[in-house]
Amino acid sequence: MEAALPHPLNGPRVVALGGGHGLYASLSALRVVTDRLTAVVTVADDGGSSGRLRRELGVLPPGDLRMALAALCGDDEWGITWSEVVQHRFRSEGDLHGHAVGNLLIVALWELLGDPVAGLDWVGRLLGAHGRVLPMASVPLDIVAEVELDGVTSTVRGQVACALTPGRVQAISLVPEDPPARPEAVAAVQEADWLVFGPGSWFTSVLPHLKVPELARALHESRARRLVTLNLAPQPGETDDFSPQQHLEVLRQHAPDLAFDVVLADTGVVDDLDALDKAAAALGARLVLADVAAADGSPRHDPRRLASVLDEIFLQKR
């Protein structure tokens, strides 16, 4: 039986970077380990409810920000209820079909307050969120991917297109090329004790943070220790057939001067331990193997298991 984790009185200052379901999994674990937690979230989504609001109102896509806030809700009745509310999607034959309640709430506060961060802070207060959620940039972004298929390289634009395109993604860039980083996100990175990358869609959730120049500079210059949590399975359409070590090699290609301290991988996904260990060492990191996957065999992280391992790493017990 896994030991119960004590409720954190403070814990390390942790910044988790990513988006979507991967960041949700990371935050669900990290909020148990520390109460000084900040999520820095990608703002490139152009599909579904987020894409519709982005196109219609010119706002940041709220979906990944909403998911991060939902992950930070507590396990009490208040937290569980509000997490379900903000994640709820309308089902209808009309214009509201597919919209998430939380997306509409976030955008309403943005319109009323005129400040994306203030709006997110208000939603966090309503939800009783155990941490803060920040966008990585001040403007909506488009991801442009270089994709190789049958020996021919082409480019595709947009997060949904990048995720669904046939072929293998080689590299990404952002439009605009030099987007303004949110100063609150830069400050959080500069003040952090730990920076946590992944899990998540590698090219559309994890790597974009390294393409926002001011944020990337802070990630390089921060005195924080850096940890990358590897995925449990390749992302269909993005990283088909990628091995765990290939994820690290792509990370190094996009940020060759960024050193890491720890690479965390689930024991069940490692086929070539020597190759993965070498790829981690190339980043300057040591490899930590642990059972962090859900017990039912699905390719998702178990929040309790992941929290326990992260806690040991932060306390330098592993």
Side-chain angles (χ1 to χ4, degrees), residues 142-153:
D142 276 336
I143 295 174
V144 177
E146 297 178 15
V147 181
E148 186 272 329
L149 179 63
D150 297 330
V152 178
T153 300

Side-chain angles (χ1 to χ4, degrees), residues 6-289:
H7 180 74
L9 296 176
N10 282 301
R13 291 168 295 189
V14 178
V15 173
L17 303 110
H21 294 283
L23 182 61
Y24 185 97
S26 182
L27 294 174
S28 298
L30 286 167
R31 68 177 175 81
V32 180
V33 176
T34 181
D35 55 11
R36 298 193 289 178
L37 175 59
T38 302
V40 176
V41 185
T42 182
V43 286
D45 192 3
D46 60 352
S49 171
S50 286
R52 290 159 62 191
L53 291 168
R54 171 181 175 171
R55 288 186 293 273
E56 183 173 341
L57 301 174
V59 295
L60 296 173
D64 285 349
L65 298 160
R66 179 203 80 244
M67 284 192 67
L69 284 163
L72 294 176
C73 287
D75 293 324
D76 57 357
E77 183 182 13
W78 183 274
I80 293 171
T81 299
W82 276 109
S83 178
E84 292 176 351
V85 169
V86 297
Q87 294 283 63
H88 177 74
R89 290 185 185 273
F90 294 105
R91 293 288 178 262
S92 74
E93 300 298 323
D95 293 339
L96 276 176
H97 178 73
H99 273 305
V101 173
N103 288 357
L104 301 177
L105 176 62
I106 289 169
V107 172
L109 279 162
W110 286 347
E111 290 196 344
L112 288 169
L113 301 175
D115 182 346
V117 170
L120 292 168
D121 285 344
W122 271 96
V123 178
R125 289 167 63 185
L126 173 65
L127 271 55
H130 297 210
R132 194 181 193 195
V133 173
L134 300 170
M136 71 175 184
S138 298
V139 297
L141 304 174
D142 276 336
I143 295 174
V144 177
E146 297 178 15
V147 181
E148 186 272 329
L149 179 63
D150 297 330
V152 178
T153 300
S154 60
T155 60
V156 296
R157 178 167 174 168
Q159 180 170 314
V160 172
C162 293
L164 298 178
T165 184
R168 173 169 288 197
V169 178
Q170 303 290 315
I172 61 150
S173 58
L174 297 179
V175 176
E177 291 184 2
D178 189 6
R182 282 301 310 191
E184 300 90 346
V186 172
V189 167
Q190 292 171 334
E191 297 166 4
D193 298 311
W194 281 90
L195 303 173
V196 177
F197 296 76
S201 302
W202 220 241
F203 287 100
T204 55
S205 293
V206 178
L207 297 180
H209 294 77
L210 301 170
K211 294 298 181 179
V212 178
E214 190 178 3
L215 181 60
R217 185 160 52 249
L219 291 169
H220 281 76
E221 295 175 354
S222 174
R223 295 184 179 180
R225 303 186 74 189
R226 300 172 187 85
L227 178 147
V228 56
T229 303
L230 288 173
N231 291 340
L232 298 172
Q235 186 77 13
E238 275 195 36
T239 53
D240 287 318
D241 301 322
F242 267 43
S243 65
Q245 53 269 25
Q246 283 176 297
H247 284 76
L248 298 183
E249 290 163 1
V250 168
L251 179 58
R252 188 181 180 204
Q253 290 167 8
H254 282 76
D257 299 322
L258 186 61
F260 285 80
D261 297 276
V262 178
V263 169
L264 173 60
D266 181 74
T267 51
V269 304
V270 180
D271 292 327
D272 190 335
L273 179 58
D274 185 57
L276 182 56
D277 194 47
K278 288 180 179 177
L283 292 173
R286 61 187 179 86
L287 177 62
V288 173
L289 298 180

